[in-house]
Amino acid sequence: LLGECEREHLRRRALAVRLGRGTIALMLWAFGLFGVYFFTSLYLQQVLHFSATTAGVAFVPMATLMAFGAAISHPVSARIGAHRTVGGAMGLMGAGILSVSLLGAHAIFADLMPGFAIIGIGGGLTIPLTSTILDSMPADRAGVASAVFNASREVAGLLGITIIGVSLRARQTSVAYGQSSRTARSKEPTDRARVSGTRARAANTPAPDETQR
């Protein structure tokens, strides 16, 4: 009886560890992907000055390739293993997000596509993460595991939007402060020259009594 209890305890512990690791990986996925969707749309419209329609069209290849990645994820997972598939997918997403972050204010539509394509394929290939974890759960715990996954994904998405938003706002404030400081410093010599010129003209202007005499 003690042996059976110990084996049950170890089994439950292993399931909890697997669920915890899967939840962390899923939260990383949601953190990056939700942040990309939200702030990249702002970048396209406010920085690159795309119309709302053009910005929406730019995400179509990403969504299409994400569906393609999801379709091939299970055969790939069966061939090389779910952990390698998900790990590679997370790496692809990170590379795609990095490539998009390096684009400046003069990027064009075609410059966005490589990064968006990599993010889409990587996002689709993470599908085995959820299915593998849920399949390993006992039937009476699968619902709980699914609820934990869904809740953690939403929380991570919210954190992604919030934290990335705070970072971008801080960066924007820093850049704006630097520009205002440089503008103020560039005006100082002009202001001093203007004051000096005014004083010189005042010194050379004769007094009203002297002019009358």
Side-chain angles (χ1 to χ4, degrees):
L1 182 60
L2 291 176
E4 292 180 358
C5 292
E6 184 177 357
R7 285 194 297 270
E8 180 65 19
H9 173 72
L10 293 175
R11 186 180 69 86
R12 291 177 180 272
R13 183 176 179 180
L15 292 176
V17 170
R18 180 175 295 183
L19 179 62
R21 291 175 178 175
T23 302
I24 292 173
L26 185 65
M27 291 182 72
L28 291 174
W29 172 84
F31 185 96
L33 195 63
F34 284 23
V36 166
Y37 277 149
F38 186 78
F39 289 103
T40 303
S41 63
L42 299 180
Y43 165 70
L44 296 182
Q45 297 181 67
Q46 297 182 5
V47 178
L48 301 185
H49 304 293
F50 286 6
S51 66
T53 302
T54 305
V57 170
F59 284 99
V60 172
M62 181 191 296
T64 303
L65 289 172
M66 189 174 294
F68 173 75
I72 67 172
S73 62
H74 288 291
V76 173
S77 176
R79 179 177 293 272
I80 66 174
H83 61 292
R84 293 189 181 91
T85 303
V86 174
M90 299 289 283
L92 285 175
M93 289 185 62
I97 293 172
L98 177 62
S99 68
V100 173
S101 69
L102 296 177
L103 298 176
H106 304 290
I108 60 175
F109 192 93
D111 296 333
L112 301 166
M113 292 302 103
F116 280 15
I118 295 173
I119 294 172
I121 294 176
L125 288 174
T126 59
I127 294 299
L129 171 65
T130 304
S131 60
T132 301
I133 298 299
L134 293 182
D135 290 344
S136 65
M137 293 288 128
D140 59 338
R141 299 297 178 92
V144 175
S146 178
V148 170
F149 267 25
N150 289 331
S152 63
R153 181 174 60 244
E154 298 302 323
V155 171
L158 177 61
L159 290 175
I161 294 173
T162 303
I163 294 175
I164 296 175
V166 170
S167 301
L168 290 177
R169 183 60 179 173
R171 175 60 178 167
Q172 184 182 22
T173 303
S174 176
V175 170
Y177 177 77
Q179 291 176 348
S180 62
S181 299
R182 288 193 297 270
T183 302
R185 287 195 299 268
S186 66
K187 288 183 177 180
E188 287 179 0
T190 305
D191 294 339
R192 286 197 297 265
R194 185 181 297 112
V195 171
S196 299
T198 303
R199 290 176 178 175
R201 287 193 297 272
N204 295 328
T205 301
D209 294 339
E210 296 179 356
T211 304
Q212 291 175 0
R213 288 199 296 269

